[in-house]
Amino acid sequence: MPGAPEGPQDPVRAAFAATVPSWRTVLVGTWAAAVVAALIALGQLDALVGQVVTAGHTVSLTALTGLGALAGRAATVTAWSDLAPTVAAVPGLGHWVLAYALVDLVFIVLYAGGGGWVLRRAATGTSPGRTWYAAAFVGLVVGALADVVESALLLDLLDGRGHPAVLVGASTAKWTGLVVAVVAAVVGRRQRGDTPRGPAQTSPWRPGDEEVPAGAVRRVLAALYTHRFSLLVVVPFGALGLASGSDILDQLESFVTTAVGKSVVRAKDTPNFVANRVGIAGMLA
């Protein structure tokens, strides 16, 4: 009857309703899946572009627009200058560059939208670190806008000329803004008091905290928190070891030659062959 109180809910329906995720959980999961899909697509498109030999070596769009390329600015500008005529001359290469730029724009919308939503809520709150969150939001906006300009400049490569110096400048502005955003967000988080300081506290959770991950998840997160500074060294080498492509050695050689100023001799033999021979020679000396 209309207006009559509802009877006890069916246990099966109640159990099913308890398993249905909230709209926020669904939204976050969809966003994370889209970010991963965009990163995979960028990696595959970058691998296709990297199959073309440019000026005697392979070129990676991700490497040329990455943070590591800013260490050798002159070499990066030269690499863009060499890539531009190749894009115009090789049939089909321009389509892959165009696809890379479009997927990159989608990725920009995803990370800027997600990060901006989180930082905006934190910056408009009443927490002690809201000033740093506001600075992180500004840095994210600057980095995202520079990233959009960078993706648009990739389209200029299709005519065979491009603007290498402007492209490297956009990459510099992008990474500057994103690094400022990350640093400001970390400082703001620490000022809120959610992450205690000092050697006596080896976990980011205080005793008595209500929302504490349970079991193995808590142990893994506590270990990552304890070794947070080691990750700055381990993660880059781990990513480099997991990366695939024929241009990895080219990038390492270019970095060692330009940044470190050392010459590189490639040992095309079995693993540890050269190391064993050097070690044995040292033992016998």
Side-chain angles (χ1 to χ4, degrees):
M1 295 177 60
E6 296 182 0
Q9 191 175 10
D10 185 3
V12 177
R13 292 187 176 182
F16 175 76
T19 60
V20 176
S22 64
W23 66 268
R24 181 173 296 181
T25 303
V26 174
L27 185 62
V28 171
T30 304
W31 175 84
V35 169
V36 173
L39 288 174
I40 294 175
L42 288 174
Q44 294 299 318
L45 291 170
D46 184 61
L48 291 172
V49 175
Q51 293 178 1
V52 179
V53 178
T54 304
H57 57 86
T58 57
V59 174
S60 170
L61 294 177
T62 303
L64 291 179
T65 57
L67 185 60
L70 304 181
R73 182 183 178 89
T76 305
V77 172
T78 303
W80 281 121
S81 302
D82 295 336
L83 179 61
T86 305
V87 172
V90 177
L93 184 57
H95 296 87
W96 297 124
V97 174
L98 174 61
Y100 184 94
L102 294 178
V103 175
D104 193 29
L105 288 175
V106 174
F107 179 66
I108 295 168
V109 172
L110 289 172
Y111 81 72
W117 181 75
V118 174
L119 293 175
R120 183 177 178 275
R121 292 189 60 187
T124 55
T126 58
S127 63
R130 61 182 180 275
T131 303
W132 286 102
Y133 282 121
F137 181 79
V138 174
L140 179 64
V141 171
V142 172
L145 291 177
D147 204 354
V148 171
V149 174
E150 178 188 80
S151 298
L153 289 172
L154 288 178
L155 303 180
D156 286 344
L157 299 175
L158 303 180
D159 60 4
R161 296 189 303 272
H163 300 82
V166 182
L167 190 53
V168 175
S171 299
T172 303
K174 174 188 72 174
W175 286 111
T176 301
L178 294 181
V179 169
V180 168
V182 172
V183 173
V186 170
V187 174
R189 179 69 175 178
R190 295 182 68 87
Q191 282 197 356
R192 290 179 61 181
D194 293 336
T195 305
R197 304 180 184 181
Q201 184 71 26
T202 59
S203 172
W205 299 282
R206 293 187 179 92
D209 284 350
E210 296 181 359
E211 297 183 359
V212 177
V217 176
R218 182 175 69 252
R219 291 194 294 271
V220 170
L221 294 179
L224 292 176
Y225 174 78
T226 303
H227 300 282
R228 56 192 181 277
F229 296 111
S230 300
L231 294 177
L232 299 177
V233 179
V234 174
V235 170
F237 284 100
L240 187 62
L242 294 175
S244 60
S246 58
D247 59 337
I248 298 298
L249 291 178
D250 296 335
Q251 297 176 33
L252 287 175
E253 182 176 357
S254 176
F255 174 77
V256 173
T257 303
T258 57
V260 184
K262 301 292 184 178
S263 59
V264 176
V265 178
R266 296 195 182 188
K268 298 182 179 180
D269 208 312
T270 56
N272 298 326
F273 177 83
V274 174
N276 290 335
R277 291 299 181 271
V278 173
I280 292 175
M283 292 171 59
L284 297 177

